[in-house]
Amino acid sequence: RPNVGKSSLLNRFLGKSRSIVSDVAGTTRDAVDETMQVDHALFRFVDTAGIRRRARVVKHNKGPEEAMVGRALRAVRRSDCALLILDSTVDPTDQDATLARRIKDDGRACVILANKWDIKEDKTETSTLRVAENIRATLSDVNWAEIIFVSALTGQRCLKVYDAVKRAIKNHRARVPTATLNEIIREAMLFQPPPASAARGAGKIYFVSQISVMPPTIVAMCNDPRLFTDNYRRYLERKLRESLDFSGTPIRLILRGKRLREEIRDASKRTTTNNKK
């Protein structure tokens, strides 16, 4: 979002004035990138233009701003990890939630930075937890992201950002053994079976495997994907997150229909292959 301190944070990370800082929203008009090394790890930070609501951009008919927003969104898609920066002195906005959804849809790792924490009033452990809960509730699409309360002005907790980014990228690239995935899903379904349909019966999952990373993408072969409600899919994803460290990254759970006899045939092939090994 505009004017939340993105450029100030970049300057703080770099220890120099690389981006122009102003109280006027929209000062940054193009993506500014800078590379730096921290503890033998190389980081490339990209300071993007603030992204306003599309209706405001269209209403004011600002061609250059549309181009700026387009470049900022492309930078998010190309990133390994998106730093979603909020103004901690106010509640998260609908636009913050829209940007969070965009990060999830693009499959990017994410760390949330609640900036301007130095001027937040009445800070206590309880109030900090309350603010974090409010952020996760409003930005539900990235409620798996780590939240760090920082200050670009004083440098408070800025050093924690590097390790948080490394953790998010590590989990974004993680691969999980097939046996582990199948065990987690099997136990989840035993604990809470999917709701049954009088017409089509109950959903069954035969086999689960991870097919890609960045983000981790998991395919579950089942009898009929239509038998699994959105709530139940979210339940399965929650069980995966409870058992595995997927903090900082979205995960994609894809249900694919497969006849039972086809799965039995494939399972027999896998068993034969494993025996040969």
Side-chain angles (χ1 to χ4, degrees), residues 209-277:
S209 63
Q210 183 176 349
I211 62 171
S212 65
V213 296
M214 301 175 61
T217 302
I218 298 165
V219 171
M221 306 306 298
C222 64
N223 56 339
D224 188 347
R226 294 172 297 178
L227 296 175
F228 296 85
T229 63
D230 290 341
N231 282 339
Y232 196 78
R233 292 174 189 233
R234 284 192 289 269
Y235 162 74
L236 292 177
E237 179 178 333
R238 186 170 70 252
K239 287 300 181 181
L240 286 168
R241 289 189 178 278
E242 288 175 359
S243 302
L244 303 166
D245 186 6
F246 281 131
S247 59
T249 178
I251 59 176
R252 290 175 177 165
L253 178 61
I254 302 171
L255 295 175
R256 288 181 180 167
K258 192 169 189 179
R259 292 182 179 180
L260 178 58
R261 63 174 178 268
E262 293 176 343
E263 178 51 35
I264 292 174
R265 182 191 62 201
D266 290 349
S268 177
K269 290 181 178 178
R270 286 193 297 270
T271 302
T272 302
T273 302
N274 291 334
N275 289 338
K276 288 180 178 179
K277 290 180 180 179

Side-chain angles (χ1 to χ4, degrees), residues 2-261:
N3 212 27
V4 293
K6 297 182 297 300
S7 298
S8 297
L9 276 170
L10 176 63
N11 290 341
R12 170 61 64 177
F13 293 144
L14 299 175
K16 62 180 180 180
S17 296
R18 177 65 174 84
S19 291
I20 300 174
V21 176
S22 170
D23 291 334
V24 179
T27 300
T28 303
R29 292 189 168 272
D30 205 349
V32 177
D33 68 281
E34 188 77 21
T35 301
M36 62 181 299
Q37 187 168 342
V38 180
D39 294 333
H40 307 292
L42 195 63
F43 294 84
R44 180 182 295 274
F45 287 98
V46 181
D47 178 22
T48 68
I51 302 174
R52 296 196 300 170
R53 286 186 299 169
R54 182 175 179 81
R56 290 190 175 184
V57 176
V58 173
K59 180 179 178 181
H60 291 84
N61 194 27
K62 293 188 176 180
E65 184 171 357
E66 286 188 273
M68 285 167 18
V69 169
R71 288 192 290 269
L73 293 177
R74 285 194 296 274
V76 173
R77 286 195 298 270
R78 292 195 301 267
S79 69
D80 293 305
C81 179
L83 298 177
L84 180 56
I85 302 173
L86 311 177
D87 183 344
S88 65
T89 63
V90 297
D91 289 336
T93 66
D94 290 342
Q95 179 64 1
D96 292 323
T98 299
L99 295 174
R101 190 177 310 113
R102 185 64 179 255
I103 291 170
K104 178 187 176 183
D105 291 345
D106 285 342
R108 299 300 88 196
C110 180
V111 175
I112 298 172
L113 304 185
N115 192 26
K116 306 182 183 180
W117 191 242
D118 56 306
I119 59 175
K120 177 75 173 178
E121 298 179 350
D122 302 323
K123 293 191 291 287
T124 64
E125 185 176 350
T126 302
S127 66
T128 301
L129 290 174
R130 193 179 302 119
V131 172
E133 289 173 359
N134 184 37
I135 291 174
R136 295 193 190 283
T138 306
L139 311 184
S140 58
D141 285 296
V142 292
N143 57 14
W144 34 261
E146 184 175 347
I147 302 173
I148 305 177
F149 295 94
V150 301
S151 168
L153 182 63
T154 67
Q156 183 181 17
R157 297 192 186 90
C158 284
L159 291 178
K160 294 181 178 293
V161 174
Y162 306 112
D163 285 337
V165 168
K166 287 192 285 187
R167 284 192 295 269
I169 292 175
K170 178 184 176 183
N171 294 338
H172 195 230
R173 299 172 178 175
R175 284 196 176 274
V176 182
T178 299
T180 302
L181 291 173
N182 280 274
E183 182 180 357
I184 293 169
I185 295 298
R186 182 170 56 252
E187 290 181 355
M189 294 187 70
L190 286 173
F191 182 77
Q192 183 176 323
S197 167
R200 295 193 295 264
K204 298 178 181 178
I205 292 179
Y206 306 127
F207 183 72
V208 185
S209 63
Q210 183 176 349
I211 62 171
S212 65
V213 296
M214 301 175 61
T217 302
I218 298 165
V219 171
M221 306 306 298
C222 64
N223 56 339
D224 188 347
R226 294 172 297 178
L227 296 175
F228 296 85
T229 63
D230 290 341
N231 282 339
Y232 196 78
R233 292 174 189 233
R234 284 192 289 269
Y235 162 74
L236 292 177
E237 179 178 333
R238 186 170 70 252
K239 287 300 181 181
L240 286 168
R241 289 189 178 278
E242 288 175 359
S243 302
L244 303 166
D245 186 6
F246 281 131
S247 59
T249 178
I251 59 176
R252 290 175 177 165
L253 178 61
I254 302 171
L255 295 175
R256 288 181 180 167
K258 192 169 189 179
R259 292 182 179 180
L260 178 58
R261 63 174 178 268

